[in-house]
Amino acid sequence: MEVRSHDIKSEEEMVKWRRNREEEQVSELKNKEQNQAETEDGLARKKRSTVNFRRRKEEITEPGKSACVLKAKQDSFDLGNVLCSLYGRGTSDDKGQVLAILNAIEALQELPVNVKFLLEGMEDVGSQGLPALLEQQNTTFFSDVDYIVVTDTPWLSSKPGITYGTRGNSYFFLEISIIPVVFSGHENYLSKPLQSHLDFFPDSLVDSAGQILIPGIYEAVAPLTEKEKKLYEGNEYDLDQIKAKYGIKHFLYKTKLYDIYIFILEELLLRRSRYPSLSIHGITGAFSAPGTKTVIPAKVIVKFSIRQVPNMKPSVVEKQVTDYLTKKFAERKSSNSVKITHVRGAKPWLSDINNPQFLAARKAIKRVFGKEPDMIRVGGTIPIVTYFEELTGKSIMLLGIGGPDDATHGQDEKISRYNFIEGTKLYAAFLHKLATI
């Protein structure tokens, strides 16, 4: 990586230039809205999708700052006309974060380090074709790359954060089959009903506290060290906001010190990202349409997944799950058949937070936000990150600017104007700090 010197003055000029440019864009947006309102004759546009018409409430982008009103938006793929947040599919994951980087490059004009871009839009469907491309370009495009930064993660709160770990994911189909479709009034005695197997299924996998019951599943999980625990102690995570957001009265996990907020917070963050978890995602094959039906379906497929943490291997998890469920099903002495399919397995990822680019990112966050960042391990999975690291041997960091309430993948997905603008400054400052490491 080629590095050129810089001084604080150029960085301050960049921030000032960016702020002036954002003010010009807001002014242009206001004029555009006014002109559009005058030409629409007061009629609402025809709805272009199945998304319900909504009018969002007032929002405050920063405490103590002026309020901003969102204009009603009809189409989830139509960028909302806003002053405080940008609404639309992909605004937070990941178009908005990519655009913030491009804005930073534009604002800097003269880069302190060399930068290469790899833009890919199929992460949510497994990044099909990307692994083959990486293999082809590993000795050419990536040959002179020192660091890789991925922009695909949210913060835990309004406090900025750096992500240094993700969980993996093993996805399974459990298929239970009986004899061909039969009528419940006549042939129900021929085999055990499917519901008897579905009743046993959840209770065989997790207990009431969410602990996975599959033997050996926790054996590969590394013990929590005191040094690692301290990383969680400084993280901001609003438990009351989480309760209100999801409408829950109490959390699934508790510690021995039930009434001490900090210990419950740490335990939840650990369960959220550091330990494995199991989720049931759906059931197919049964009759679910409106009305009544009295036949017994020939088969039912249950879909579930296990989020893995470092040291857990998908191949080992596959064997543990298959052996355990096969044994549990055999104990029922059923004439029905069971088939367990491991659909896909993505590895977890964990990086060293003392790598140079992590140090540069921490300095950049301190420069832009005036505070130290949260060091975050996320509970989700980004399969290509592990593949990137194994193939290239380069240091990887996830430096996202999404908010905890951005509703990624949803019809109300957004990114706040504050995160977008300050995130642009963050990416520019990061390049400058990286040049000095």
Side-chain angles (χ1 to χ4, degrees):
M1 175 179 289
E2 180 183 349
V3 178
R4 293 189 291 268
S5 63
H6 73 288
D7 53 31
I8 295 300
K9 182 179 179 181
S10 63
E11 189 174 338
E12 292 175 345
E13 289 178 350
M14 177 278 298
V15 174
K16 182 179 179 181
W17 179 90
R18 189 67 232 172
R19 185 183 297 112
N20 292 337
R21 178 60 183 146
E22 292 296 339
E23 290 175 354
E24 292 174 1
Q25 291 174 337
V26 170
S27 178
E28 293 171 0
L29 181 58
K30 287 181 178 179
N31 294 334
K32 182 178 178 181
E33 289 178 350
Q34 183 177 357
N35 294 335
Q36 182 178 357
E38 292 174 353
T39 58
E40 286 180 347
D41 297 326
L43 297 176
R45 292 176 297 166
K46 183 179 180 181
K47 188 161 72 170
R48 300 195 300 268
S49 72
T50 58
V51 179
N52 293 330
F53 186 88
R54 300 180 177 201
R55 185 170 296 279
R56 298 183 176 85
K57 298 182 293 184
E58 278 193 349
E59 293 187 2
I60 306 294
T61 54
E62 299 176 72
K65 298 294 181 68
S66 59
C68 52
V69 180
L70 296 174
K71 182 178 179 180
K73 183 174 71 68
Q74 296 164 284
D75 190 334
S76 62
F77 285 91
D78 175 31
L79 186 63
N81 295 327
V82 301
L83 293 180
C84 60
S85 292
L86 302 172
Y87 280 84
R89 284 292 284 113
T91 48
S92 180
D93 183 17
D94 195 34
K95 300 182 185 75
Q97 302 196 41
V98 171
L99 186 58
I101 296 178
L102 297 178
N103 282 341
I105 298 297
E106 179 189 20
L108 287 172
Q109 299 180 33
E110 183 176 350
L111 299 179
V113 295
N114 293 328
V115 178
K116 290 185 176 183
F117 286 93
L118 175 61
L119 304 179
E120 186 259 345
M122 296 182 66
E123 184 266 327
D124 291 320
V125 291
S127 298
Q128 299 176 28
L130 185 55
L133 176 65
L134 296 183
E135 291 181 6
Q136 295 171 6
Q137 299 295 325
N138 189 34
T139 57
T140 54
F141 185 85
F142 295 104
S143 62
D144 58 350
V145 171
D146 295 308
Y147 308 106
I148 297 175
V149 179
V150 178
T151 60
D152 191 18
T153 48
W155 302 341
L156 288 173
S157 63
S158 59
K159 181 183 176 183
I162 304 171
T163 298
Y164 67 98
T166 66
R167 293 194 293 186
N169 190 19
S170 283
Y171 205 103
F172 295 89
F173 288 172
L174 173 69
E175 180 181 316
I176 303 174
S177 302
I178 61 173
I179 57 180
V181 176
V182 296
F183 176 47
S184 63
H186 297 162
E187 292 87 13
N188 64 299
Y189 64 90
L190 295 178
S191 64
K192 282 192 174 183
L194 289 178
Q195 64 265 27
S196 68
H197 298 306
L198 296 180
D199 289 344
F200 105 89
F201 174 70
D203 292 339
S204 298
L205 290 176
V206 293
D207 63 17
S208 60
Q211 289 290 108
I212 302 174
L213 300 177
I214 299 170
I217 205 74
Y218 290 100
E219 289 180 358
V221 179
L224 179 67
T225 65
E226 287 299 319
K227 183 177 180 180
E228 183 184 1
K229 188 177 179 181
K230 289 185 179 298
L231 294 176
Y232 290 89
E233 293 176 355
N235 287 353
E236 292 184 6
Y237 197 53
D238 193 328
L239 299 186
D240 293 332
Q241 185 181 57
I242 296 299
K243 283 184 176 181
K245 178 180 179 180
Y246 295 106
I248 57 177
K249 295 181 179 180
H250 59 82
F251 295 105
L252 182 62
Y253 303 106
K254 293 182 179 180
T255 64
K256 295 179 181 178
L257 303 174
Y258 295 104
D259 298 325
I260 301 181
Y261 181 92
I262 187 66
F263 284 95
I264 296 178
L265 171 61
E266 290 173 13
E267 181 71 8
L268 287 174
L269 288 175
L270 290 169
R271 296 291 179 180
R272 179 180 184 267
S273 58
R274 196 194 181 277
Y275 296 119
S277 64
L278 187 148
S279 303
I280 298 175
H281 304 290
I283 300 175
T284 63
F287 179 68
S288 59
T292 60
K293 194 172 185 178
T294 56
V295 297
I296 300 174
K299 67 178 179 180
V300 169
I301 299 175
V302 182
K303 303 177 181 181
F304 68 98
S305 69
I306 296 178
R307 298 282 183 175
Q308 302 148 199
V309 296
N311 299 332
M312 295 178 68
K313 298 180 179 179
S315 59
V316 175
V317 173
E318 177 185 5
K319 187 177 187 306
Q320 291 171 333
V321 171
T322 301
D323 291 349
Y324 177 66
L325 288 180
T326 300
K327 177 177 177 291
K328 296 297 290 185
F329 192 83
E331 292 174 355
R332 303 187 69 81
K333 302 184 185 306
S334 172
S335 60
N336 301 335
S337 63
V338 63
K339 178 182 178 183
I340 302 159
T341 304
H342 186 219
V343 183
R344 66 172 180 263
K347 295 179 181 179
W349 165 76
L350 189 66
S351 189
D352 183 357
I353 62 173
N354 294 315
N355 284 340
Q357 64 174 345
F358 282 89
L359 300 179
R362 295 177 76 156
K363 290 182 178 180
I365 288 175
K366 182 72 173 179
R367 172 73 175 85
V368 175
F369 296 94
K371 61 181 68 174
E372 293 292 331
D374 283 338
M375 301 305 296
I376 303 170
R377 285 176 62 169
V378 297
T381 305
I382 307 178
I384 199 62
V385 172
T386 304
Y387 189 82
F388 247 134
E389 190 169 72
E390 292 178 348
L391 179 68
T392 66
K394 312 296 184 182
S395 171
I396 298 181
M397 176 181 68
L398 273 58
L399 188 62
I401 58 172
D405 59 346
D406 281 353
T408 56
H409 298 199
Q411 66 181 33
D412 283 338
E413 183 174 347
K414 71 171 181 65
I415 187 170
S416 76
R417 181 173 175 268
Y418 174 79
N419 282 41
F420 182 68
I421 295 174
E422 299 305 308
T424 297
K425 299 175 186 177
L426 168 61
Y427 290 133
F430 167 70
L431 294 177
H432 274 288
K433 298 301 182 182
L434 189 60
T436 65
I437 295 295

